[in-house]
Amino acid sequence: MRKVTETIRPKYYVDRRGHDLFYEFEQGNYPAILAIGFCYLTMMKYERRAGKKTADPTEDLKKARTYFAEYETLLRKRAEGEIHDQGIDLALNYEDFKKRKEIYLKRLDRIEEDIKSGRAKR
């Protein structure tokens, strides 16, 4: 008998507007192929980790099921033309990576500073 699929969507992944990454993926705010790949690889990670990080595999398997459910949703949305791969060229372009790397690392530094100083909005 198959277990009922229980998924996890923690509130700490929600942004200031109340949206998590799954919402952003489903709205097409990222190239579909990257969102689908993210979900696929994350579900594989939790499947492989189950019973290794902790003796009880329950939490990791719930997480794997969560990402599997989102993976299925995204595959359907892409097949139906609701989400697209627009922007994939930028994500895979190495030519301007040095500039993007600098911008991204500064962004991470700013986020860290905002969190540590209490300026971050939660």
Side-chain angles (χ1 to χ4, degrees):
M1 186 167 92
R2 203 174 90 178
K3 281 188 169 187
V4 173
T5 300
E6 187 177 344
T7 61
I8 300 173
R9 300 279 294 263
K11 297 285 185 222
Y12 48 81
Y13 287 119
V14 173
D15 66 15
R16 288 176 266 177
R17 297 170 307 191
H19 302 144
D20 64 7
L21 270 179
F22 290 176
Y23 174 88
E24 300 293 335
F25 292 162
E26 292 172 17
Q27 297 304 305
N29 295 335
Y30 294 92
I33 197 162
L34 292 181
I36 291 166
F38 173 81
C39 290
Y40 182 82
L41 292 171
T42 304
M43 71 187 203
M44 292 291 106
K45 173 185 85 169
Y46 285 118
E47 178 185 324
R48 288 178 182 217
R49 191 174 90 172
K52 295 177 182 169
K53 187 173 180 183
T54 60
D56 183 358
T58 305
E59 198 72 13
D60 282 335
L61 294 176
K62 284 181 189 176
K63 291 175 182 179
R65 287 182 180 95
T66 299
Y67 283 95
F68 180 77
E70 183 64 9
Y71 170 71
E72 179 181 26
T73 297
L74 296 173
L75 285 175
R76 179 187 51 74
K77 284 182 161 279
R78 186 170 185 252
E80 294 173 356
E82 293 180 41
I83 58 175
H84 307 278
D85 292 328
Q86 292 150 339
I88 192 70
D89 292 341
L90 175 62
L92 299 178
N93 184 354
Y94 189 68
E95 290 176 23
D96 69 339
F97 183 77
K98 185 175 180 180
K99 181 180 177 181
R100 288 187 292 137
K101 177 180 177 180
E102 184 179 325
I103 291 167
Y104 183 71
L105 293 177
K106 284 181 182 179
R107 182 171 130 194
L108 292 180
D109 289 344
R110 189 182 71 248
I111 290 168
E112 181 179 20
E113 188 178 304
D114 287 349
I115 290 170
K116 288 181 177 180
S117 72
R119 288 189 307 262
K121 295 179 184 175
R122 295 185 179 219

